Amino acid sequence: MLRIGTSLFVALLTVAPAMAQSSGISIPEPTDGALFGIGLVGLIVGRHIAKRRK
């Protein structure tokens, strides 16, 4: 069941941008601040998980 859900999710991610571009919908790119924030949250969560495993 997980593989079916994953494959559908990947298919949606690959088809959605093409559909959005063909219909004229503009998809904004993430700003530098948002990318930095996502990376920082990822580092914090990763350290928390690593500490928990020890």
Side-chain angles (χ1 to χ4, degrees):
M1 183 66 181
L2 182 62
R3 289 185 182 186
I4 294 172
T6 304
S7 61
L8 287 175
F9 182 69
V10 170
L12 179 64
L13 286 178
T14 56
V15 172
M19 289 174 51
Q21 288 177 356
S22 66
S23 64
I25 300 171
S26 64
I27 301 174
E29 295 184 13
T31 62
D32 293 337
L35 290 174
F36 179 76
I38 291 169
L40 189 62
V41 168
L43 287 174
I44 292 170
V45 170
R47 283 188 174 198
H48 181 71
I49 290 172
K51 285 182 182 179
R52 199 182 242 186
R53 287 186 181 178
K54 288 183 179 180

